[in-house]
Amino acid sequence: MSSFKLASELPAWKQLQETYNSIGKDFSVKDAFAKDSSRFSEFSRTFENFDGSKILFDFSKNLVNKEILNQLVQLAKEANVEQLRDEMFAGKHINTTEDRAVYHVALRNRALRKMAVDGKDTAKEVDDVLQHMKEFSNEVRDGKWTGYTGKAITDVVNIGIGGSDLGPVMVTEALKAYSKPNLDVHFVSNIDGTHLAETLKNLNAETTLFLIASKTFTTAETITNANSAKKWFLEQAKDASHIAKHFAALSTNEEEVAKFGIDTKNMFGFENWVGGRYSVWSAIGLSVAIYIGFDNFEQFLKGAEAVDQHFLTTPLENNIPALGGLLSVWYNNFYNAQTHLVVPFDQYLHRFPAYLQQLSMESNGKSVTRANVHANYETGTILFGEPATNAQHSFFQLVHQGTKLIPSDFILAAQSHNPIENNLHQKMLASNFFAQAEALMVGKTTEEVKAEGATGGLVPHKEFSGNRPTTSILAQKITPSTLGALIAYYEHVTFVEGAVWNINSFDQWGVELGKVLAKVIGKELDSEKKVESHDASTRGLINQFKDWSI
């Protein structure tokens, strides 16, 4: 079975290596377009969302032809990508190292299909939590939920870390156009006291609601921030009984929640089959529901659900997330491209690359396969990005003329939420979206540079090699359903990568070691004695910190 094989042992992998050696490394996208007038339509796919809105995925500027694409699809089949996908949707324990199901897809099951884990249907349980979120978020938004002095809530502070922060931050920023006036959301994740202090500086305890996002309610950084927030609140409210009106828990640990002072009626749970980086669809999205309204939050879920169904039912040849994931494997493992750039041409999506960094690198930053052996090939890509057009003045120089191949995704909405100056700004933004992708593909030859008047040693500096691959993603508008679809697309791209590489994309042991050591060092920092353990560097740094922090 392929689950016990390295990806490099599969016949399709070996065939792809031969194809790369024979035509891939010298493949010219520019020439491919010149030879095939139908290339754009042949290598583009349009996703139609449940509400009729569309997203165009243009893969035509990538370094592939029909033969290469067919071989990549064959690789997915030999790697049993479809089988693993079906097992995920069936609630099987595909997270083998933690013996858990991977069932974030059940969180957006708005059709209420039967989706079972360990013989228990999750549909009602998920919907019950969502209805609780709906009731709570509506009360806050309508001003019916009041603070201890009877005033309506004006500010919501989400205290979490990792997936309990990155998802809600990104989504609330991306959907800011749907927010309610005079109701703001804030996010605290960093244990650095500055993050909490700056957030609380201009808030009023009477009108502030805190959401403590921690499944176990024991996450050290989150609970430390939560306790400091509670202290700040009580300095103004005085009475601990008021905590119940100003704190809610996104957690499953009823005992710890109650001990903190939160009314357990205001506790929103989620199961252990929800990974942190996939949790924005769950109770962790409560801040989103409050900010944009539950109806919009449900549209967000339905957009993701529509992509789920596309991913589950569409043959690999036309399966949009599958194609995105296979292209990533093509570049990572055959072109030795170590990075993946995501550039949203949309200011509202300015936190989207940061969100995708966790999704991609925490999922696929693994070196051991599901067969418990070390991979003999590259796995997780280094994902990075920033919103354009400012990004063009930071790292685009490297993308265009550097020595590294950096496959890139460009994202644009045709319609802006802010069409100011008769849509002038959006047209300028769009012109850069189209031009950058075209320039990366066609480059600029020596002859063209000379024709522009350059001479001598200046010529090579103004040449562009071109043939730099991009995927252009063009949406009609960034609505809640569109954003849900885009996130689900990248979730399944990440899934396909991990499935081909035969790694478990759903654990994160790599973040544990540092946490364990931090607890040990934390106790040492509480002592006045000089530290005598650790390596010489760590010991020296700790003792210098102790001297300087007095």
Side-chain angles (χ1 to χ4, degrees):
M1 289 184 62
S2 67
S3 60
F4 296 103
K5 283 187 174 182
L6 293 167
S8 56
E9 295 174 349
L10 300 174
W13 184 284
K14 296 174 182 177
Q15 180 62 58
L16 279 163
Q17 187 61 63
E18 291 178 10
T19 300
Y20 170 77
N21 291 337
S22 60
I23 62 173
K25 61 184 178 182
D26 297 317
F27 185 85
S28 167
V29 183
K30 189 176 177 181
D31 290 347
F33 271 105
K35 295 173 184 175
D36 183 2
S37 60
S38 65
R39 181 175 171 85
F40 170 70
S41 58
E42 187 173 351
F43 289 92
S44 295
R45 304 288 185 273
T46 299
F47 170 74
E48 184 167 346
N49 214 330
F50 77 96
D51 56 4
S53 63
K54 296 178 181 179
I55 307 174
L56 171 63
F57 292 81
D58 175 18
F59 298 115
S60 65
K61 290 189 178 76
N62 282 283
L63 308 180
V64 292
N65 57 18
K66 291 181 193 175
E67 178 185 357
I68 294 168
L69 204 59
N70 288 338
Q71 289 179 14
L72 286 168
V73 168
Q74 181 60 29
L75 175 64
K77 292 178 178 178
E78 291 181 12
N80 281 345
V81 170
E82 294 162 300
Q83 178 184 326
L84 191 66
R85 173 200 64 193
D86 294 348
E87 288 176 352
M88 176 175 73
F89 277 86
K92 300 289 180 65
H93 288 211
I94 66 169
N95 179 350
T96 52
T97 62
E98 297 177 303
D99 193 21
R100 292 177 183 173
V102 175
Y103 227 27
H104 48 278
V105 292
L107 296 170
R108 52 247 194 169
N109 175 24
R110 300 317 297 139
L112 301 181
R113 302 172 183 85
K114 183 176 180 180
M115 298 185 73
V117 172
D118 300 328
K120 180 183 177 183
D121 188 19
T122 62
K124 184 180 185 305
E125 177 187 359
V126 168
D127 190 57
D128 285 348
V129 173
L130 285 171
Q131 296 311 314
H132 188 195
M133 292 169 64
K134 179 178 181 179
E135 178 187 18
F136 187 86
S137 60
N138 284 346
E139 285 193 359
V140 173
R141 287 173 62 83
D142 294 344
K144 295 176 182 176
W145 183 281
T146 58
Y148 67 95
T149 61
K151 295 180 180 179
I153 299 299
T154 59
D155 294 273
V156 177
V157 180
N158 186 92
I159 298 178
I161 197 168
S164 299
D165 172 80
L166 284 167
V169 169
M170 182 273 291
V171 175
T172 52
E173 285 295 304
L175 299 178
K176 186 174 284 188
Y178 297 86
S179 64
K180 179 181 174 66
N182 303 316
L183 180 60
D184 293 325
V185 288
H186 314 267
F187 295 88
V188 175
S189 58
N190 202 330
I191 194 60
D192 183 344
T194 299
H195 201 181
L196 182 64
E198 287 293 334
T199 301
L200 298 178
K201 188 179 290 184
N202 297 313
L203 301 187
N204 182 347
E206 296 176 73
T207 56
T208 300
L209 172 67
F210 293 92
L211 306 179
I212 313 304
S214 172
K215 184 188 294 185
T216 61
F217 221 74
T218 57
T219 308
E221 298 91 344
T222 297
I223 300 307
T224 299
N225 277 329
N227 280 319
S228 296
K230 181 168 72 170
K231 182 179 179 182
W232 170 87
F233 172 77
L234 289 175
E235 285 174 353
Q236 299 178 61
K238 309 300 181 186
D239 188 343
S241 67
H242 296 324
I243 290 172
K245 296 290 289 181
H246 290 267
F247 286 79
L250 316 180
S251 176
T252 55
N253 192 335
E254 189 170 331
E255 182 181 350
E256 288 298 322
V257 167
K259 191 186 297 182
F260 186 89
I262 295 174
D263 186 340
T264 53
K265 289 187 296 185
N266 303 323
M267 189 174 104
F268 301 80
F270 49 103
E271 296 297 330
N272 68 2
W273 39 258
V274 181
R277 55 191 174 277
Y278 300 94
S279 64
V280 71
W281 320 101
S282 71
I284 292 297
L286 183 58
S287 58
V288 179
I290 293 173
Y291 191 55
I292 67 173
F294 187 82
D295 289 347
N296 284 321
F297 185 72
E298 189 155 43
Q299 296 289 300
F300 172 66
L301 297 177
K302 287 182 176 180
E305 180 185 30
V307 170
D308 291 342
Q309 290 304 304
H310 169 87
F311 181 56
L312 180 62
T313 62
T314 306
L316 293 176
E317 294 80 0
N318 293 306
N319 194 308
I320 297 171
L323 294 174
L326 290 170
L327 285 169
S328 178
V329 171
W330 176 233
Y331 294 126
N332 184 76
N333 295 104
F334 299 94
Y335 283 87
N336 296 317
Q338 295 187 324
T339 57
H340 186 127
L341 171 62
V342 177
V343 181
F345 284 69
D346 190 305
Q347 185 59 29
Y348 282 133
L349 292 177
H350 70 106
R351 294 297 293 165
F352 195 51
Y355 175 80
L356 295 182
Q357 283 175 351
Q358 184 194 25
L359 171 63
S360 176
M361 293 193 282
E362 191 170 74
S363 294
N364 289 340
K366 316 286 170 61
S367 57
V368 177
T369 71
R370 289 185 294 139
N372 307 320
V373 298
H374 284 274
N376 60 1
Y377 42 80
E378 295 283 332
T379 56
T381 59
I382 301 166
L383 191 148
F384 72 106
E386 280 289 323
T389 52
N390 198 46
Q392 294 168 203
H393 298 275
S394 53
F395 48 72
F396 266 55
Q397 172 64 44
L398 178 65
V399 181
H400 275 285
Q401 288 187 309
T403 57
K404 296 172 172 58
L405 181 73
I406 304 177
S408 306
D409 293 354
F410 291 171
I411 304 170
L412 175 72
Q415 300 172 33
S416 172
H417 285 284
N418 301 287
I420 59 177
E421 297 288 343
N422 196 28
N423 217 29
L424 170 66
H425 291 255
Q426 191 69 5
K427 289 177 180 176
M428 288 182 67
L429 185 69
S431 68
N432 281 277
F433 171 84
F434 300 125
Q436 288 291 348
E438 184 178 39
L440 284 166
M441 181 187 75
V442 302
K444 185 178 284 189
T445 64
T446 302
E447 292 71 23
E448 289 171 324
V449 172
K450 288 180 177 178
E452 291 177 351
T455 58
L458 185 60
V459 172
H461 293 277
K462 302 189 77 172
E463 292 174 350
F464 292 78
S465 66
N467 218 39
R468 312 271 173 137
T470 58
T471 294
S472 296
I473 302 173
L474 179 62
Q476 288 178 285
K477 193 172 187 177
I478 301 300
T479 63
S481 65
T482 300
L483 181 66
L486 285 173
I487 298 171
Y489 164 76
Y490 279 102
E491 284 181 352
H492 297 319
V493 164
T494 303
F495 173 92
V496 170
E497 292 171 338
V500 171
W501 292 326
N502 200 14
I503 56 178
N504 180 5
S505 300
F506 306 104
D507 59 13
Q508 53 277 333
W509 300 107
V511 304
E512 298 299 323
L513 180 59
K515 288 183 177 181
V516 172
L517 293 177
K519 289 180 180 178
V520 173
I521 293 172
K523 293 177 181 177
E524 293 172 338
L525 292 177
D526 289 335
S527 169
E528 295 181 0
K529 297 179 181 177
K530 280 191 174 293
V531 171
E532 296 181 357
S533 56
H534 303 288
D535 63 273
S537 171
T538 305
R539 182 169 62 247
L541 287 165
I542 291 173
N543 288 328
Q544 186 64 78
F545 174 84
K546 281 171 166 279
D547 287 344
W548 284 354
S549 62
I550 295 174

